[in-house]
Amino acid sequence: MHAGEAEIDDDLVRRLVAAQFPRWAGLPVSRVASSGTENAMFRLGDDLVARLPRLERGAAEIGHEQRWLRWLAPRLPVAVPEVLAEGRPGEGFAWDWSVLRWLPGVNPDFGDARVARDLGAFVKALRGLGTSGAPEVSRGRPLRTRDAPTREAIAQLGGDPAYAEAWEKALAAPEWAGDPVWLHADLSPGNVLVDDGGLSAVLDFAGAGIGDPAVDLIPGWNTFAAAEREVFREAADVDDATWERGRGWALSIALIQLPYYRETNPVLAANARRTIEAVLGDS
């Protein structure tokens, strides 16, 4: 999917595990089918998963995730990945990596009100955590910092004036005036797990940190249909301006993803199209 992406396969993972964590050396290794773009995932037996960055930019986030998952996990209302071991460069692989506990579940479908309520409650709970010492992250910055790449993506997609109009409406919303709060920053359907009819886990905290909470409202458009969108919003408990900025974040992310991934990641590209349609219909 990316230029400069590392070559990662089952054999590399076997060698890394055997060299660094011999207690797991005999476990079968199999790649996890995923629409994820920054990391490759491999099952280790039934209970573990290895997470390896595809790119150097993702490698810098591995240590960040390892540190903050340990702090966040006991403070959140649903399961998050548990770091069991911290892998280091070796066997020709240049970056740090992780071994995590495997979390069962499937990604959510559109139209699930229970998941919408649960995920909104998760967003609210995360936002309420203490922020002392927490890192500021790029997706916590003001929406206007996305203006140039978003307009570039609109041009790449043919310059549809409806895209520009929806984007400008979001930019017109008042900026966040409160203190920075905790946010996950990448609540795409692929990072949400459902089990037994409800939200069971949230994955991928590589971009988690503090800032404007608007980005964590993107499930309203990339995961839920119109009726469930309102359930999610009520549970997340946000003001009108934050909701409007959240719509802008959903649009910006989808517009940028679509031209980049439409040939290399059909699942992500399809979700980007659906998100754009949802935003246009909603705005």
Side-chain angles (χ1 to χ4, degrees), residues 2 29 59 64 93 187 204 207 259 280:
H2 313 283
V29 175
H64 172 91
F93 187 71
L187 290 175
D204 191 352
L280 295 183

Side-chain angles (χ1 to χ4, degrees), residues 128-210:
L129 297 181
T131 59
S132 177
E136 294 185 359
V137 289
S138 61
R139 286 191 174 183
R141 296 170 184 163
L143 186 62
R144 56 181 163 75
T145 62
R146 305 273 297 186
D147 192 38
T150 301
R151 292 188 189 276
E152 180 180 350
I154 291 171
Q156 289 177 319
L157 293 169
D160 190 327
Y163 298 168
E165 182 179 351
W167 175 238
E168 288 162 6
K169 180 180 178 183
L171 286 178
E175 292 188 358
W176 178 247
D179 293 331
V181 299
W182 269 102
L183 47 120
H184 177 279
D186 193 14
L187 290 175
S188 62
N191 289 333
V192 175
L193 292 181
V194 177
D195 195 23
D196 195 27
L199 179 68
S200 61
V202 176
L203 311 177
D204 191 352
F205 283 74
I210 61 172

